[in-house]
Amino acid sequence: MALPTAHLIDGSLYVFRAWHSMPDEFHDIDGHPVNAVHGYTRFLCELLEREDPSHLAVAFDASLTTSFRNAIYPAYKANRELPPPDLERQFVQCRAVTEALGIRVLIDHSFEADDLIGSTLWSLRAHGFRSVIVSADKDFGQLLGEHDEQWDFARNLRWGPAGVFERLGVHPHQVADFLALCGDAVDNIPGVPGVGAKTAAALLAHFGSLDELLDRVDEVAFLRLRGAASCAAKLRQHADAARLYRRLTRIALDAPIESGFDGLVRQRGIGTLDALCEQLRFGPLTRSRLRALTSL
């Protein structure tokens, strides 16, 4: 019997994509740019029309500087520029569109969107749900259980746990360790010097986990691995840093979320769409799509 499915959407990713891809020719009633809002709304409408999900949520990042990861590693994401005011305003408007469509919004100042999705997925799994994570972000691979799926919506590519291995060379339970070893430039996590993706995958294939690797680091020099002796020395020198990086790369499963699945049921007939459409100056096609999606 098919398991009930929840769609968990990485909202911030699709707002940023719309911001970069949509022409800067859309403005709201007050003259502010809304190109990202228009692009994000089209994405959300298409997803709802194609999948008609019964349970779903959209997670957003509240800030680049206030998550618990910044507290333990101030350089975390320090390579990223803060969103300009025009984009910050559009993030608020995208959340308003999401709520007007009757979709649960997840946001927290201490936990990132990844953590909110991970914690929700973990809770849903206990209730017999499978989850589809709508995102292209490789970090989500660590969350995929036997029945879960990740969906890169833009490329229409879907994969389960086996697909994580095909992409990264490690299994889902090893993804956080893998990123701690080889680093993640997107999040400004340096990793262990000299350990690239192939080496990290080879080490985890042999030792199974970062903890086991560091406990048996003396064995690394004897592996059939290019630069094995140098790699062993680097791992000894940067062992504490690698453990710290894993605290950054591991998605939290204890973020504050509403337990249960009733809160993820999409609501209909909310009645706030007309005023929002006027404010955002949506065209007739977008308005008709939104009305169809919210009608009872």
Side-chain angles (χ1 to χ4, degrees):
M1 196 162 116
L3 296 175
T5 300
H7 287 72
L8 306 175
I9 302 163
D10 182 6
S12 294
L13 171 69
Y14 292 98
V15 176
F16 275 116
R17 283 193 171 182
W19 167 260
H20 289 295
S21 65
M22 291 292 288
D24 193 13
E25 60 185 36
F26 301 97
H27 297 84
D28 66 15
I29 200 167
D30 299 315
H32 299 299
V34 285
N35 58 314
V37 185
H38 279 245
Y40 170 79
T41 301
R42 292 178 190 180
F43 149 73
L44 203 51
C45 285
E46 185 177 344
L47 186 148
L48 294 173
E49 290 162 355
R50 286 172 59 177
E51 297 291 296
D52 190 25
S54 60
H55 295 75
L56 76 164
V58 180
F60 291 93
D61 289 316
S63 171
L64 278 178
T65 60
T66 63
S67 86
F68 73 89
R69 293 177 179 86
N70 295 105
I72 61 178
Y73 186 68
Y76 180 70
K77 290 189 177 180
N79 55 331
R80 300 196 197 182
E81 293 184 4
L82 293 173
D86 279 341
L87 181 54
E88 284 281 10
R89 184 184 300 109
Q90 292 190 70
F91 264 105
V92 175
Q93 292 167 321
C94 287
R95 295 200 297 268
V97 169
T98 306
E99 290 174 335
L101 281 166
I103 301 169
R104 177 73 180 276
V105 167
L106 306 174
I107 190 165
D108 188 273
H109 282 280
S110 296
F111 291 89
E112 297 179 68
D114 294 17
D115 305 313
L116 297 168
I117 287 174
S119 299
T120 302
L121 177 147
W122 197 250
S123 172
L124 288 169
R125 188 175 292 165
H127 289 91
F129 274 73
R130 66 184 288 269
S131 294
V132 176
I133 301 171
V134 184
S135 177
D137 191 339
K138 63 184 178 300
D139 296 7
F140 285 118
Q142 65 190 274
L143 297 176
L144 299 185
E146 179 185 0
H147 303 291
D148 301 318
E149 224 179 9
Q150 187 168 345
W151 182 16
D152 180 347
F153 188 85
R155 295 181 177 85
N156 197 27
L157 296 174
R158 298 175 183 252
W159 60 90
V164 177
F165 188 84
E166 291 172 6
R167 284 163 172 76
L168 301 179
V170 296
H171 299 289
H173 69 276
Q174 297 173 316
V175 169
D177 290 359
F178 170 79
L179 294 172
L181 283 167
C182 66
D184 188 349
V186 174
D187 290 340
N188 205 36
I189 300 171
V192 176
V195 177
K198 287 186 178 179
T199 301
L203 290 169
L204 290 171
H206 184 86
F207 292 99
S209 70
L210 176 64
D211 290 328
E212 192 70 13
L213 165 63
L214 297 178
D215 285 346
R216 297 163 52 194
V217 70
D218 291 342
E219 299 175 31
V220 173
F222 301 99
L223 296 180
R224 296 180 66 181
L225 196 69
R226 187 174 180 180
S230 172
C231 181
K234 291 286 179 61
L235 286 166
R236 287 191 202 94
Q237 182 182 353
H238 298 276
D240 289 341
R243 293 187 180 96
L244 170 63
Y245 299 151
R246 187 177 54 188
R247 294 174 64 192
L248 307 176
T249 60
R250 181 181 283 161
I251 292 176
L253 302 178
D254 60 350
I257 58 163
E258 183 180 317
S259 61
F261 52 86
D262 290 343
L264 302 186
V265 176
R266 182 152 63 100
Q267 305 299 310
R268 309 273 186 156
I270 290 181
T272 60
L273 264 176
D274 287 343
L276 198 56
C277 287
E278 286 297 321
Q279 173 66 30
L280 297 170
R281 296 178 65 192
F282 283 145
L285 177 59
T286 300
R287 293 186 189 214
S288 64
R289 293 175 80 183
L290 290 169
R291 289 193 189 102
L293 288 166
T294 54
S295 60
L296 294 169

